[in-house]
Amino acid sequence: MSLRSSSSVVAQRLVSGCKFLLNPKTLRGLRHASSDRGRERYRRAGMSASASLIQKALTIVISLVSVPLTVHYLGPERYGVWLTISSLLVWMAMTDFGLAGNALINVLSEANGNDDRRAAQEYTSSAVWALTAVAALLAIVAIASFRFIPWNAVFRVSNVRPGELTLTCALTIALFIIGLPLNVQNSIYCAYQDGFLSNAWGIAMNLATLVALVIVTRFHGGLPQLVLALSGTRTVLALVNVYYMFRKRYRWLLPVPSAVRWHCVHRLFKLGGKYLVNQLGALGIYQSQPMIITQILGPANVMIFVVAQKVITLPMDLVYMVTSPLVPAFGEAKARNDWKWIKSAYEKVTMLSVAAAVPVLVLIAVMAKPLIRIWAGPEAVPHTSLILWLSLYNLLGVLLMGGAQLLIGLERLAPLVLSVTLCALGTIGLGILFGRSIGLSGVAMAMAVSKLAFLFPIQIWAVRRLLAHKKVDPASVAGEAAV
């Protein structure tokens, strides 16, 4: 065949392809396919959110049961130690370097959007074995240094037996290290928009821990027994969940060492490092208060603050439960260049979050004192100013939740990390300053002021700028629908 005739054939095929794409029936079909994907994202997000709400309801039940069961026989000081240890566990989770969180969700969502199972297994294997190496290193450090740490001085307690506190800390660290590589399971479920399965397992864990907690408190078990009842039960069920995940649900993701790839490890650490900075900032915002209060006002005051925070932050927690399933949906939509759906989903979830959460937040703020008096006793009732500042802080959180999930899902981390870091510095710095001069209310004031000054303006600007510069590309939509 001559060069001229070959060129003619190519030209004819290009013309035919253009006619096909420009045909009204073809365009309607492509729009229909894109619409179906959008509805499927909403459906899966809705299933995940529904299961998440059930899980949250059980978590609330556990809190309602655990506080009156434990606070009375443990006493304010030992209960404050328990709350501080729970907060420290969240800080210790940072040792995963962000690998088991949003970094893995992002890369697996991208692989899912591209229908690339091989890449998905390589990223999963790289994350699991990297976390296993980190866990082994932490175990060596813990064994070498544990006996040199004065635990009673760390927690500033006098009525807790040294042996009880030492055993509690040892069990906590051991269970944390064992569970570190298991933390990938939630990210995998979320990346494949099967968050409802993650929540189903979470429901099973909550039911099991509730039974274990009732048994331990029935026999007035100490702090070590509480650790085994809560963290130990969750670790056992997490092991069962991992078997189900890799042997039944996602067999192609089985994390074998031969599937580890250094370029996957490098990307996960690079992306996870950014999320790590963001997580550290988030911990400064959300989890620094028990430690600040312990050092400034004593562990007994931790109970008052944490109990009030648990009650008042309920609307923000519920909004997070509903919106978090959209993170992988945003990532998958980005891989398919479906910016129209992304913008629509962000606007809808923000409006619905505000409309649903604000009335509940106002009602809880009004009813907080009598609820806490009934739930945890008169010694846990906070001052009105503490309730007001916590309410303002949570209102700002509800307003920003949809935008934060959007930035995470689209991997727009620079404004997210900047805003969270500045807010964390303000929360900790002002928390220490206001805590010394004002007390518990000052710690809550620092949280609200920092979020209003740093988190709010930066994230709102970033979201508006992102959506204003992204337009739907019909050619890209047509191309991804034809795949």
Side-chain angles (χ1 to χ4, degrees):
M1 183 181 292
S2 66
L3 179 62
R4 179 177 297 179
S5 60
S6 299
S7 301
S8 177
V9 171
V10 172
Q12 289 175 1
R13 290 181 178 177
L14 287 173
V15 171
S16 299
C18 291
K19 288 181 178 179
F20 172 76
L21 289 176
L22 294 175
N23 186 291
K25 292 183 178 180
T26 302
L27 292 175
R28 283 196 298 270
L30 295 175
R31 284 194 295 269
H32 181 69
S34 179
S35 177
D36 286 345
R37 286 197 182 95
R39 283 195 294 269
E40 178 65 11
R41 295 183 193 116
Y42 282 127
R43 186 184 73 83
R44 287 182 171 272
M47 291 174 62
S48 298
S50 299
S52 182
L53 291 174
I54 297 174
Q55 181 185 357
K56 182 63 179 178
L58 283 173
T59 302
I60 294 171
V61 170
I62 291 174
S63 296
L64 291 172
V65 171
S66 65
V67 171
L69 284 178
T70 56
V71 71
H72 297 301
Y73 83 87
L74 287 178
E77 188 174 67
R78 292 171 76 205
Y79 188 72
V81 170
W82 170 246
L83 293 176
T84 304
I85 288 175
S86 300
S87 179
L88 284 173
L89 276 175
V90 181
W91 281 92
M92 289 167 62
M94 295 300 97
T95 54
D96 70 357
F97 297 100
L99 299 181
N102 288 314
L104 188 57
I105 293 176
N106 287 150
V107 296
L108 289 182
S109 298
E110 180 184 289
N112 184 34
N114 294 326
D115 300 317
D116 191 345
R117 288 190 171 186
R118 180 178 177 182
Q121 185 189 31
E122 291 174 351
Y123 277 115
T124 302
S125 300
S126 300
V128 169
W129 288 102
L131 287 171
T132 301
V134 172
L137 180 61
L138 288 175
I140 295 172
V141 173
I143 292 171
S145 61
F146 184 84
R147 61 194 180 99
F148 298 107
I149 300 175
W151 294 107
N152 278 62
V154 170
F155 289 96
R156 295 185 62 192
V157 294
S158 56
N159 296 327
V160 181
R161 297 189 306 274
E164 180 185 14
L165 185 57
T166 301
L167 180 57
T168 300
C169 294
L171 288 172
T172 300
I173 294 172
L175 290 171
F176 170 79
I177 291 174
I178 293 171
L180 193 60
L182 306 179
N183 292 337
V184 300
Q185 53 196 351
N186 182 63
S187 298
I188 293 173
Y189 282 131
C190 290
Y192 283 91
Q193 298 177 48
D194 286 336
F196 61 93
L197 288 175
S198 177
N199 292 319
W201 279 97
I203 291 169
M205 289 181 182
N206 282 338
L207 289 173
T209 54
L210 178 59
V211 173
L213 179 65
V214 171
I215 293 173
V216 169
T217 54
R218 172 68 177 171
F219 293 97
H220 284 197
L223 292 174
Q225 288 75 25
L226 284 175
V227 170
L228 290 175
L230 299 180
S231 299
T233 303
R234 291 181 178 276
T235 300
V236 171
L237 286 177
L239 289 168
V240 177
N241 186 16
V242 165
Y243 175 82
Y244 165 78
M245 173 179 288
F246 294 126
R247 290 297 184 181
K248 303 294 183 181
R249 184 73 181 182
Y250 310 113
R251 294 184 178 181
W252 65 90
L253 293 180
L254 185 65
V256 294
S258 60
V260 175
R261 298 290 182 270
W262 286 114
H263 73 272
C264 294
V265 175
H266 178 265
R267 185 183 177 191
L268 283 169
F269 269 105
K270 183 178 180 180
L271 187 58
K274 297 178 182 178
Y275 279 121
L276 178 61
V277 175
N278 185 66
Q279 286 176 306
L280 287 171
L283 286 178
I285 298 171
Y286 304 114
Q287 297 294 331
S288 63
Q289 292 76 30
M291 284 175 282
I292 292 174
I293 295 169
T294 296
Q295 297 301 317
I296 295 177
L297 303 172
N301 286 281
V302 175
M303 179 185 69
I304 299 174
F305 188 92
V306 172
V307 169
Q309 191 177 29
K310 282 185 177 182
V311 172
I312 297 172
T313 56
L314 179 60
M316 187 170 71
D317 290 342
L318 294 176
V319 170
Y320 175 80
M321 292 283 183
V322 173
T323 59
S324 59
L326 287 173
V327 170
F330 284 136
E332 186 257 345
K334 174 192 170 187
R336 299 183 186 277
N337 202 33
D338 194 353
W339 286 95
K340 181 178 180 181
W341 182 88
I342 291 172
K343 183 177 181 180
S344 174
Y346 162 72
E347 293 174 347
K348 288 178 181 177
V349 75
T350 300
M351 288 188 294
L352 289 174
S353 297
V354 173
V358 171
V360 178
L361 180 59
V362 173
L363 179 62
I364 289 178
V366 172
M367 299 295 296
K369 283 190 175 183
L371 285 175
I372 293 172
R373 182 176 288 106
I374 296 171
W375 178 35
E379 65 275 9
V381 176
H383 195 273
T384 303
S385 59
L386 176 61
I387 295 173
L388 292 176
W389 283 112
L390 285 175
S391 299
L392 175 59
Y393 160 80
N394 283 278
L395 174 62
L396 294 170
V398 169
L399 293 173
L400 292 171
M401 192 67 71
Q405 308 293 27
L406 177 69
L407 294 173
I408 293 172
L410 301 183
E411 296 183 39
R412 296 304 195 270
L413 300 183
L416 194 67
V417 170
L418 176 62
S419 62
V420 169
T421 301
L422 291 175
C423 186
L425 293 174
T427 299
I428 296 173
L430 294 178
I432 295 172
L433 179 63
F434 294 167
R436 293 184 184 278
S437 58
I438 301 175
L440 287 180
S441 299
V443 177
M445 181 193 302
M447 296 164 65
V449 170
S450 299
K451 183 168 280 192
L452 182 63
F454 302 113
L455 217 64
F456 192 84
I458 295 176
Q459 291 191 11
I460 291 295
W461 169 83
V463 170
R464 288 182 176 178
R465 184 172 181 270
L466 174 63
L467 295 181
H469 286 76
K470 292 296 181 182
K471 306 295 182 182
V472 179
D473 183 357
S476 298
V477 175
E480 62 87 11
V483 172

